[in-house]
């Protein structure tokens, strides 16, 4: 009889409903049960899980480690995929292993390096990875000086928190005065420099921002799978250029990502992002967790979540290679159910089915109560219109 695998995802983002789907539909037909915890009772990952709990709020990292160890013992967790307090949890990897749980996360040292973007840029630059110019600023005078230096070089300045994820806090600096033009159309990331300077001067605490040039497209998001032995099993780039998405194996993106994953202990699933600085690909960010768009690799014939779980269980996957790179695509939203009752809610041996759009909101349907939209499904788009290349020496997706 094939043994069941019990996987836990903590405080993860909504798109990981597709991570869960791929685990259940693994190519080995291995039974997988998923436990999920979150601080938001309406997170779709709770509805998609077989068992779910609301997480306690306000726990320190140390207290959260104790909570996690208790969850693993109580739930019989085989593989734990942490997002919240990832570094603290990774530092206690041996304690989880003693409880029979494998942590699907990089080394604690690697997580700490990439939690701070300035530290990360300094570290990878020492290994010959190209990075854009940057300035760490803590006050208004430093901010103005950094912006002026970038603008003097012909760049548009932007800033973001030195630590953080998901583009939270990213803004592009403009010197155009605030007017009705800024209130038309959709909100944009542009902010007036004088307003930012005033806000920083009036703040009670210093800021911790990274100021850098706004980098150009394409953005290439490289998904890596690395074993605990440090050997990379999978490295595939997902290209983003406006709405259009695609895949690439071009060495300009793949080789720097491979070197970062190998040299910094970025074990299991990580995501390394690049953009263009002039005609050169440069590092933009390193995520020490699975990317929200990881499931899109299914279009290449890859089930990356299942390959990672197998590695965590001590099974060898060999090299995980795309069987195809396929047609370009775009991403649209779709509904997913949320729980109609209070947590905790347990479902024994049953996974929540995907809900057809026609049934959402229909009285008596499987999710008559409520559903949420998740940016999710890749949809094919027409091939790009042929045009004269403007930068022939840029690396192109293949």
């Amino acid at each position: 009889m094939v043994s069941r695998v019990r996987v836990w995802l903590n405080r993860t983002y909504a798109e990981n409903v597709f991570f869960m789907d791929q685990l259940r539909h693994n190519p080995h037909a291995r039974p997988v049960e998923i436990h999920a915890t979150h601080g938001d009772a309406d997170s779709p990952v709770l509805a998609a899980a077989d068992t779910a709990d609301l997480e306690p709020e306000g726990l320190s990292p140390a207290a959260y480690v104790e909570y996690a160890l208790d969850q693993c013992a109580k739930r019989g967790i085989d593989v734990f995929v942490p997002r919240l307090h990832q570094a603290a949890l990774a530092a206690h990897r041996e304690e989880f292993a003693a409880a029979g749980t494998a942590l699907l996360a990089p080394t604690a040292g690697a997580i700490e390096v990439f939690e701070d973007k300035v530290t990360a840029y300094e570290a990878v630059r020492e290994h010959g990875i190209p990075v854009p110019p940057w300035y760490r600023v803590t006050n208004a005078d430093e901010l103005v000086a950094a912006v002026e230096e970038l603008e003097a070089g012909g760049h548009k300045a932007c800033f973001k928190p030195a630590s953080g994820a998901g583009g939270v806090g990213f803004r592009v600096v403009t010197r155009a005065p605030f007017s009705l033009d800024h209130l038309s159309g959709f909100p944009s990331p542009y902010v007036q420099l004088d307003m930012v300077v005033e806000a920083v001067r009036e703040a009670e605490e210093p800021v911790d921002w990274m100021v850098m040039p706004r980098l150009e497209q394409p953005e290439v998001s490289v998904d890596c799978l690395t074993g605990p032995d440090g050997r990379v099993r999978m490295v595939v780039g997902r290209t983003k250029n406006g709405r259009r998405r695609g895949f690439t194996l071009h060495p300009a993106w793949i080789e720097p990502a491979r070197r970062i994953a190998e040299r910094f202990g970025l074990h299991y699933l990580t995501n390394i992002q690049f953009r263009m600085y002039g005609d050169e690909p440069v590092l933009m960010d390193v995520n020490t967790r699975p990317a929200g768009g990881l499931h899109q690799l299914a279009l290449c014939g890859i089930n990356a979540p299942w390959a990672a779980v197998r590695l965590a269980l001590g099974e060898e996957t060999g090299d995980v290679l795309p069987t195809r790179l396929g047609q370009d695509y775009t991403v649209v939203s779709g509904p997913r159910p949320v729980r109609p009752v209070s947590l905790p809610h347990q479902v024994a041996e049953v996974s929540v089915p995907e809900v057809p759009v026609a049934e959402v909101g229909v009285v008596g349907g499987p999710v008559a109560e409520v559903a949420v939209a998740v940016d999710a499904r890749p949809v094919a788009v027409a091939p790009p219109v042929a045009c004269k290349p403007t930068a022939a020496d840029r690396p192109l997706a293949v």
Side-chain angles (χ1 to χ4, degrees), residues 278-342:
D279 291 330
E280 180 183 33
V282 294
L283 179 70
M284 184 171 69
D285 207 356
V286 175
N287 296 308
T288 60
R289 52 169 175 75
L294 181 69
H295 64 280
Q296 295 165 22
L297 292 184
L299 295 176
C300 295
I302 293 176
N303 186 329
W306 178 242
V309 165
R310 289 187 64 205
L311 279 179
L313 293 172
E315 302 172 11
E316 182 51 63
T317 63
D319 291 337
V320 180
L321 303 172
T323 59
R324 58 191 180 277
L325 291 184
Q327 182 179 347
D328 284 358
Y329 63 98
T330 190
V331 175
V332 297
S333 298
R336 298 288 298 205
V338 296
R339 290 207 180 273
V341 294
S342 300

Side-chain angles (χ1 to χ4, degrees), residues 2 4 12 19 38 89 106 130 137 155 171 192 241 276 305 326 350:
V2 179
R4 176 202 68 173
T12 194
F19 188 104
H38 210 285
L89 293 163
V137 306
H155 302 294
R171 298 293 186 273
Q192 286 64 40
N241 202 335
M276 300 299 296
V350 176

Side-chain angles (χ1 to χ4, degrees), residues 25-41:
H25 298 101
N26 66 81
H28 294 87
R30 186 102 168 256
V32 175
E33 289 185 7
I34 298 174
H35 180 57
T37 58
H38 210 285
D40 179 4

Side-chain angles (χ1 to χ4, degrees), residues 135-300:
Y135 307 84
R136 190 169 206 156
V137 306
T138 59
N139 58 51
D141 291 338
E142 292 174 350
L143 171 64
V144 171
V147 170
E148 287 179 346
E149 190 158 347
L150 287 170
E151 289 178 340
H155 302 294
K156 189 180 295 293
C158 64
F159 63 86
K160 57 186 175 182
S163 61
V168 175
F170 171 81
R171 298 293 186 273
V172 182
V173 173
T174 178
R175 292 182 180 267
F178 186 79
S179 68
L180 286 177
D181 289 340
H182 296 96
L183 299 177
S184 62
F186 294 101
S188 81
Y190 283 86
V191 291
Q192 286 64 40
L193 179 61
D194 56 347
M195 297 175 68
V196 178
V197 169
E198 182 181 359
V200 173
R201 292 194 191 282
E202 293 180 356
E204 295 181 359
E205 299 290 335
V207 298
D208 186 13
W209 288 346
M210 192 174 184
V211 180
M212 55 192 293
R214 186 175 191 185
L215 302 175
E216 301 299 325
Q217 292 182 326
E219 178 179 325
V220 178
S221 188
V222 182
D223 295 309
C224 299
L225 173 62
T226 307
D229 58 359
R231 186 170 72 80
V232 175
R233 269 59 164 195
M234 179 196 80
V235 54
V236 180
R238 289 182 286 114
T239 63
K240 305 177 184 181
N241 202 335
R243 189 187 294 266
R244 182 173 293 273
R245 303 287 190 267
F247 301 102
T248 181
L249 296 177
H250 196 290
W253 318 103
I254 298 303
E255 292 311 312
R258 182 188 296 276
R259 283 158 54 199
I260 292 171
E262 289 175 340
R263 297 181 185 184
F264 289 93
L266 290 176
H267 299 166
Y268 300 109
L269 289 169
T270 54
N271 178 259
I272 303 172
Q273 299 172 350
F274 300 88
R275 273 198 175 218
M276 300 299 296
Y277 177 61
D279 291 330
E280 180 183 33
V282 294
L283 179 70
M284 184 171 69
D285 207 356
V286 175
N287 296 308
T288 60
R289 52 169 175 75
L294 181 69
H295 64 280
Q296 295 165 22
L297 292 184
L299 295 176
C300 295

